[in-house]
Amino acid sequence: NEAESIFQEICTTEIEQVAYRNNQRYVARLVRSDMSTCSQVDKIDQNQINSESYPDQNLQLNSQLSINDAGNLDSLEWKVSTRHQPQDNEIEIEVKATGLNFRDVMIALDLYPDDSKFLGLECAGIITKLGKDVTNFQLGDQVIAISDHSFSQYLTVNSLLAIPKPTSLNYIEAATIPVTFLTAYYTLVDIAQLQPGEKILIHAAAGGVGIAAIQIAQQLGAEVYATASPAKWQLLKSLGVTNIMNSRSLDFATEIISATNGQGVDVVLNSLSGEFIPQSIAVIKDQGRFIEIGKQGIWTKQKVAQVKPKLNYSIVDLWQITQENPRLIQKMLTKLRSQFIDQQLKPLPHTIFTREQTIDAFRHMQQGKHQGKIIITQLTPQLPIPRKGTYLITGGMGAIGLHIAEWLITQGITNLILIGRSGVKPELKDKLQKIQDNAQVNLIKADIANTDQLAQALLQIESTLPPLRGVIHCAGSLCDRTITQQDWSSFSQVLDPKVQGAWNLHQLTQKYDLDHFILFSSASSLLGSPGQANYCAANAFLDTLAHGRRNLGLPAISLNWGAWKNTGLASNSQTSPSLKQKGIDSIKVGDAIAILEQLLRHNPTQIGIIPINWNVWKQNNTVTNYYNNVIASDKNIATKVTLQQQLLTANKTQHPDILIQHITKEVANILGIKDTNQIDLDLGFSELGLDSLGSVELRNKLQSSCNIKLSMSVIFDYSSIEKLAGYLLTLMFEDDLYEEKTSVEQNNNLTQIEDLSEAEAEALLLAELKSIDL
């Protein structure tokens, strides 16, 4: 029977927490969630992406894509920023979709040749603000625009750089147009003045500009010769191109000379570098037009003149034109728009990534996997927050409650109820005022532990506001005492807002069609907390309530938060100074909000969010079986910070394996391989699939994690994981054994230069970054 089982358990096992229910034995275990690494979200319904309304134009919050560590794509992050009031001739756009360009990848990898470090050049969205001199647009107009910093939630732009979006195109299709078709139109129509019957060579023709140029060249009656990697030839054939050559070989030159009976082509639209440039000049007629849209390793006009003096050579920088001649941009965009309306031109084939998949999108372009355009969308259906509903936040007038209210506004919520037993503290009044400026905010002073007071508050919502769609329970209180000092009064003070308040919310809101019932629990219910037995118990109730609601088919999620930095109850708790000594850090408010967004997409029943160093934790706490899984999995998490510590504390014989494992993980990450066992250590980097841009990022990452300066050609010089690990160890430890071994390997590499493939030579020189698909 159960009594006998429990007796045996007490006498024979070291496990502290065991439950028996219906003769089933249960034990408590913490396990690490892999949710933080998951970036997949529900696919977007393209039939709905034009139906978004625009939010309150007084909202001041924005978010913008930034680079925390130049050269490392993993450091790309959307950060909170401030919206800018449009100048007299400007409009503000709520961005729905942004086109990713090769220029953005180069900037993120710290390779762009000038000082322009902003991300994004084009977008499609909806107008949310107008400058006083703007007469050609109205609020709510759907537009296409070309502008810097277009990887933003809100964007201010010169109204001349935008046009109304054709109604036949959705936001994603529209975002494929600005940079690609403007570049193609300007280069072929205005610069080259391409004529019917003329021959044009378009390099990297399966990229965005390439496909746009094909459409415009065909419309002008020109004969198209195109280069692309063989995997993309079928796409070009579907566009009606018959003269297709390999963009990864210089053989295109002889093929064109042969196909044109030695005459060559009239125009070259070039985006390739290195040896492709002289070979492209060689196939153009003496008085032809060579148009350069590349950025790496391009030739000067003087150098071109030395090879072919009569050649008309133009270097085109579309971004410079937008700054110097916005009226020309407006004129060209207007012409292009009419052709899309008449279906003379078609939007580009595209691959869609969500905002949460931004890093994946950059890697996809980095690896040259795309055809046509890559679009990153910020369409709001990604986050299941209904814009037309009302949200109730308990503890809403506290610091955390106000942060949540501020975040809900960024999601389009305009009706909020902030409920609490006391008013807003003086130091929080400015934040409350800002929130009230951006949404309909109702403050209700009530005790949610009092059933009648909460019921009255809900009746008030029913009579004056849109339907209640979400509850976020942030209310809480502390009364810290040792267990011997605790009494019912100290327990009641803490249990009432958490336990009774949550139960009242559960009971009284079941008649509403809620999308969210979010409980702000605490890490204390998972880890315990000295002096807070009452607080631990209260939060454990929230966790159990979430599971109970799920069993009833009701929405619920319990979030076991660690302390928010300088915010909420933890900022006043006497126990917080000791947390760091135990290995527990606090969570920045911005990080907490980002985590909340991610968790709402995955919708777990209960999850802990705790920045914790388990090695420090083990030194200060008794480690039971309860922690075994997270501590074991923590050993497998290598970070830049710990790599050097690992090497310094390990035996010298272990150094190669540690560094090989570290490099292997970085390579797998760049290549998008989840299982490092799939990485064959016997293969070279190019054989593994690491191209020139991937090599640049690997070099940047190793510079940072190893804290050493590396040459731009290091990935080529030491062309496998084992060779590279050996070389890095010579730099980090100056060991003769490693140095002798890697010196021999380097000499062997140098003797094989003549056998290099084009891709390997490109990785060495870096200037040969081919297929620059704008």
PDB file of all heavy atoms in Angstrom, residues 396-416:
ATOM      1  N   GLY A 396      -0.708  46.612 -11.021  1.00  0.00           N
ATOM      2  CA  GLY A 396      -0.434  47.388 -12.229  1.00  0.00           C
ATOM      3  C   GLY A 396       0.179  48.742 -11.981  1.00  0.00           C
ATOM      4  O   GLY A 396       0.711  49.348 -12.912  1.00  0.00           O
ATOM      5  N   MET A 397       0.099  49.236 -10.743  1.00  0.00           N
ATOM      6  CA  MET A 397       0.687  50.538 -10.449  1.00  0.00           C
ATOM      7  C   MET A 397       2.057  50.424  -9.813  1.00  0.00           C
ATOM      8  O   MET A 397       2.652  51.414  -9.393  1.00  0.00           O
ATOM      9  CB  MET A 397      -0.279  51.343  -9.574  1.00  0.00           C
ATOM     10  CG  MET A 397      -1.488  51.843 -10.371  1.00  0.00           C
ATOM     11  SD  MET A 397      -2.740  52.669  -9.384  1.00  0.00           S
ATOM     12  CE  MET A 397      -3.851  51.317  -9.006  1.00  0.00           C
ATOM     13  N   GLY A 398       2.571  49.204  -9.760  1.00  0.00           N
ATOM     14  CA  GLY A 398       3.946  48.987  -9.319  1.00  0.00           C
ATOM     15  C   GLY A 398       4.903  49.045 -10.494  1.00  0.00           C
ATOM     16  O   GLY A 398       4.494  49.154 -11.663  1.00  0.00           O
ATOM     17  N   ALA A 399       6.206  48.944 -10.213  1.00  0.00           N
ATOM     18  CA  ALA A 399       7.225  49.108 -11.259  1.00  0.00           C
ATOM     19  C   ALA A 399       7.093  48.057 -12.350  1.00  0.00           C
ATOM     20  O   ALA A 399       7.089  48.378 -13.547  1.00  0.00           O
ATOM     21  CB  ALA A 399       8.616  49.059 -10.632  1.00  0.00           C
ATOM     22  N   ILE A 400       6.964  46.783 -11.967  1.00  0.00           N
ATOM     23  CA  ILE A 400       6.861  45.728 -12.980  1.00  0.00           C
ATOM     24  C   ILE A 400       5.544  45.845 -13.742  1.00  0.00           C
ATOM     25  O   ILE A 400       5.503  45.697 -14.970  1.00  0.00           O
ATOM     26  CB  ILE A 400       7.006  44.339 -12.334  1.00  0.00           C
ATOM     27  CG1 ILE A 400       8.462  44.117 -11.890  1.00  0.00           C
ATOM     28  CG2 ILE A 400       6.572  43.231 -13.294  1.00  0.00           C
ATOM     29  CD1 ILE A 400       8.717  42.783 -11.242  1.00  0.00           C
ATOM     30  N   GLY A 401       4.459  46.141 -13.038  1.00  0.00           N
ATOM     31  CA  GLY A 401       3.177  46.296 -13.704  1.00  0.00           C
ATOM     32  C   GLY A 401       3.202  47.383 -14.763  1.00  0.00           C
ATOM     33  O   GLY A 401       2.644  47.218 -15.855  1.00  0.00           O
ATOM     34  N   LEU A 402       3.886  48.502 -14.474  1.00  0.00           N
ATOM     35  CA  LEU A 402       3.976  49.589 -15.443  1.00  0.00           C
ATOM     36  C   LEU A 402       4.846  49.206 -16.628  1.00  0.00           C
ATOM     37  O   LEU A 402       4.569  49.601 -17.764  1.00  0.00           O
ATOM     38  CB  LEU A 402       4.514  50.845 -14.763  1.00  0.00           C
ATOM     39  CG  LEU A 402       3.567  51.501 -13.745  1.00  0.00           C
ATOM     40  CD1 LEU A 402       4.237  52.680 -13.055  1.00  0.00           C
ATOM     41  CD2 LEU A 402       2.269  51.952 -14.411  1.00  0.00           C
ATOM     42  N   HIS A 403       5.905  48.434 -16.399  1.00  0.00           N
ATOM     43  CA  HIS A 403       6.716  47.944 -17.523  1.00  0.00           C
ATOM     44  C   HIS A 403       5.881  47.051 -18.437  1.00  0.00           C
ATOM     45  O   HIS A 403       5.992  47.129 -19.670  1.00  0.00           O
ATOM     46  CB  HIS A 403       7.927  47.169 -17.004  1.00  0.00           C
ATOM     47  CG  HIS A 403       9.053  48.030 -16.521  1.00  0.00           C
ATOM     48  ND1 HIS A 403       9.677  48.958 -17.332  1.00  0.00           N
ATOM     49  CD2 HIS A 403       9.670  48.101 -15.311  1.00  0.00           C
ATOM     50  CE1 HIS A 403      10.634  49.569 -16.646  1.00  0.00           C
ATOM     51  NE2 HIS A 403      10.645  49.081 -15.430  1.00  0.00           N
ATOM     52  N   ILE A 404       5.048  46.206 -17.840  1.00  0.00           N
ATOM     53  CA  ILE A 404       4.192  45.328 -18.637  1.00  0.00           C
ATOM     54  C   ILE A 404       3.175  46.151 -19.420  1.00  0.00           C
ATOM     55  O   ILE A 404       2.900  45.887 -20.600  1.00  0.00           O
ATOM     56  CB  ILE A 404       3.480  44.298 -17.742  1.00  0.00           C
ATOM     57  CG1 ILE A 404       4.512  43.383 -17.066  1.00  0.00           C
ATOM     58  CG2 ILE A 404       2.495  43.471 -18.552  1.00  0.00           C
ATOM     59  CD1 ILE A 404       5.398  42.615 -18.014  1.00  0.00           C
ATOM     60  N   ALA A 405       2.614  47.171 -18.776  1.00  0.00           N
ATOM     61  CA  ALA A 405       1.656  48.039 -19.474  1.00  0.00           C
ATOM     62  C   ALA A 405       2.319  48.719 -20.662  1.00  0.00           C
ATOM     63  O   ALA A 405       1.748  48.796 -21.763  1.00  0.00           O
ATOM     64  CB  ALA A 405       1.113  49.080 -18.495  1.00  0.00           C
ATOM     65  N   GLU A 406       3.528  49.200 -20.453  1.00  0.00           N
ATOM     66  CA  GLU A 406       4.270  49.866 -21.526  1.00  0.00           C
ATOM     67  C   GLU A 406       4.501  48.912 -22.688  1.00  0.00           C
ATOM     68  O   GLU A 406       4.353  49.280 -23.863  1.00  0.00           O
ATOM     69  CB  GLU A 406       5.603  50.359 -20.951  1.00  0.00           C
ATOM     70  CG  GLU A 406       6.366  51.332 -21.797  1.00  0.00           C
ATOM     71  CD  GLU A 406       7.587  51.860 -21.072  1.00  0.00           C
ATOM     72  OE1 GLU A 406       8.345  51.039 -20.502  1.00  0.00           O
ATOM     73  OE2 GLU A 406       7.770  53.077 -21.052  1.00  0.00           O
ATOM     74  N   TRP A 407       4.838  47.674 -22.385  1.00  0.00           N
ATOM     75  CA  TRP A 407       5.078  46.677 -23.428  1.00  0.00           C
ATOM     76  C   TRP A 407       3.792  46.344 -24.184  1.00  0.00           C
ATOM     77  O   TRP A 407       3.788  46.230 -25.413  1.00  0.00           O
ATOM     78  CB  TRP A 407       5.666  45.412 -22.812  1.00  0.00           C
ATOM     79  CG  TRP A 407       5.641  44.241 -23.741  1.00  0.00           C
ATOM     80  CD1 TRP A 407       6.413  44.042 -24.847  1.00  0.00           C
ATOM     81  CD2 TRP A 407       4.777  43.101 -23.649  1.00  0.00           C
ATOM     82  NE1 TRP A 407       6.075  42.856 -25.454  1.00  0.00           N
ATOM     83  CE2 TRP A 407       5.089  42.259 -24.746  1.00  0.00           C
ATOM     84  CE3 TRP A 407       3.790  42.708 -22.752  1.00  0.00           C
ATOM     85  CZ2 TRP A 407       4.430  41.053 -24.950  1.00  0.00           C
ATOM     86  CZ3 TRP A 407       3.138  41.509 -22.964  1.00  0.00           C
ATOM     87  CH2 TRP A 407       3.459  40.695 -24.051  1.00  0.00           C
ATOM     88  N   LEU A 408       2.674  46.206 -23.463  1.00  0.00           N
ATOM     89  CA  LEU A 408       1.409  45.886 -24.121  1.00  0.00           C
ATOM     90  C   LEU A 408       1.027  46.961 -25.138  1.00  0.00           C
ATOM     91  O   LEU A 408       0.472  46.660 -26.199  1.00  0.00           O
ATOM     92  CB  LEU A 408       0.302  45.731 -23.080  1.00  0.00           C
ATOM     93  CG  LEU A 408       0.298  44.423 -22.286  1.00  0.00           C
ATOM     94  CD1 LEU A 408      -0.727  44.490 -21.167  1.00  0.00           C
ATOM     95  CD2 LEU A 408       0.015  43.225 -23.190  1.00  0.00           C
ATOM     96  N   ILE A 409       1.356  48.206 -24.824  1.00  0.00           N
ATOM     97  CA  ILE A 409       1.063  49.287 -25.763  1.00  0.00           C
ATOM     98  C   ILE A 409       1.841  49.095 -27.054  1.00  0.00           C
ATOM     99  O   ILE A 409       1.334  49.331 -28.154  1.00  0.00           O
ATOM    100  CB  ILE A 409       1.368  50.652 -25.122  1.00  0.00           C
ATOM    101  CG1 ILE A 409       0.407  50.914 -23.966  1.00  0.00           C
ATOM    102  CG2 ILE A 409       1.259  51.771 -26.148  1.00  0.00           C
ATOM    103  CD1 ILE A 409       0.738  52.148 -23.155  1.00  0.00           C
ATOM    104  N   THR A 410       3.103  48.634 -26.943  1.00  0.00           N
ATOM    105  CA  THR A 410       3.895  48.401 -28.157  1.00  0.00           C
ATOM    106  C   THR A 410       3.296  47.285 -28.998  1.00  0.00           C
ATOM    107  O   THR A 410       3.588  47.185 -30.188  1.00  0.00           O
ATOM    108  CB  THR A 410       5.351  48.041 -27.822  1.00  0.00           C
ATOM    109  OG1 THR A 410       5.401  46.750 -27.191  1.00  0.00           O
ATOM    110  CG2 THR A 410       5.998  49.080 -26.914  1.00  0.00           C
ATOM    111  N   GLN A 411       2.469  46.432 -28.390  1.00  0.00           N
ATOM    112  CA  GLN A 411       1.811  45.355 -29.126  1.00  0.00           C
ATOM    113  C   GLN A 411       0.470  45.794 -29.700  1.00  0.00           C
ATOM    114  O   GLN A 411      -0.246  44.999 -30.292  1.00  0.00           O
ATOM    115  CB  GLN A 411       1.606  44.138 -28.212  1.00  0.00           C
ATOM    116  CG  GLN A 411       2.875  43.597 -27.596  1.00  0.00           C
ATOM    117  CD  GLN A 411       3.906  43.263 -28.648  1.00  0.00           C
ATOM    118  OE1 GLN A 411       3.623  42.566 -29.611  1.00  0.00           O
ATOM    119  NE2 GLN A 411       5.127  43.753 -28.458  1.00  0.00           N
ATOM    120  N   GLY A 412       0.127  47.076 -29.518  1.00  0.00           N
ATOM    121  CA  GLY A 412      -1.105  47.590 -30.094  1.00  0.00           C
ATOM    122  C   GLY A 412      -2.272  47.656 -29.140  1.00  0.00           C
ATOM    123  O   GLY A 412      -3.366  48.074 -29.524  1.00  0.00           O
ATOM    124  N   ILE A 413      -2.092  47.247 -27.884  1.00  0.00           N
ATOM    125  CA  ILE A 413      -3.184  47.318 -26.911  1.00  0.00           C
ATOM    126  C   ILE A 413      -3.428  48.776 -26.543  1.00  0.00           C
ATOM    127  O   ILE A 413      -2.498  49.506 -26.190  1.00  0.00           O
ATOM    128  CB  ILE A 413      -2.832  46.511 -25.648  1.00  0.00           C
ATOM    129  CG1 ILE A 413      -2.677  45.026 -25.995  1.00  0.00           C
ATOM    130  CG2 ILE A 413      -3.897  46.694 -24.571  1.00  0.00           C
ATOM    131  CD1 ILE A 413      -3.917  44.392 -26.542  1.00  0.00           C
ATOM    132  N   THR A 414      -4.651  49.207 -26.588  1.00  0.00           N
ATOM    133  CA  THR A 414      -4.974  50.604 -26.275  1.00  0.00           C
ATOM    134  C   THR A 414      -5.935  50.739 -25.091  1.00  0.00           C
ATOM    135  O   THR A 414      -6.299  51.857 -24.721  1.00  0.00           O
ATOM    136  CB  THR A 414      -5.595  51.300 -27.499  1.00  0.00           C
ATOM    137  OG1 THR A 414      -6.733  50.556 -27.936  1.00  0.00           O
ATOM    138  CG2 THR A 414      -4.586  51.400 -28.628  1.00  0.00           C
ATOM    139  N   ASN A 415      -6.351  49.616 -24.492  1.00  0.00           N
ATOM    140  CA  ASN A 415      -7.242  49.656 -23.328  1.00  0.00           C
ATOM    141  C   ASN A 415      -6.644  48.821 -22.206  1.00  0.00           C
ATOM    142  O   ASN A 415      -6.507  47.591 -22.327  1.00  0.00           O
ATOM    143  CB  ASN A 415      -8.632  49.125 -23.694  1.00  0.00           C
ATOM    144  CG  ASN A 415      -9.360  50.047 -24.648  1.00  0.00           C
ATOM    145  OD1 ASN A 415      -9.877  51.086 -24.253  1.00  0.00           O
ATOM    146  ND2 ASN A 415      -9.379  49.673 -25.920  1.00  0.00           N
ATOM    147  N   LEU A 416      -6.269  49.490 -21.131  1.00  0.00           N
ATOM    148  CA  LEU A 416      -5.603  48.833 -20.014  1.00  0.00           C
ATOM    149  C   LEU A 416      -6.312  49.160 -18.711  1.00  0.00           C
ATOM    150  O   LEU A 416      -6.761  50.292 -18.491  1.00  0.00           O
ATOM    151  CB  LEU A 416      -4.141  49.285 -19.913  1.00  0.00           C
ATOM    152  CG  LEU A 416      -3.196  48.869 -21.040  1.00  0.00           C
ATOM    153  CD1 LEU A 416      -1.860  49.579 -20.889  1.00  0.00           C
ATOM    154  CD2 LEU A 416      -2.987  47.362 -21.045  1.00  0.00           C
TER     155      LEU A 416
END
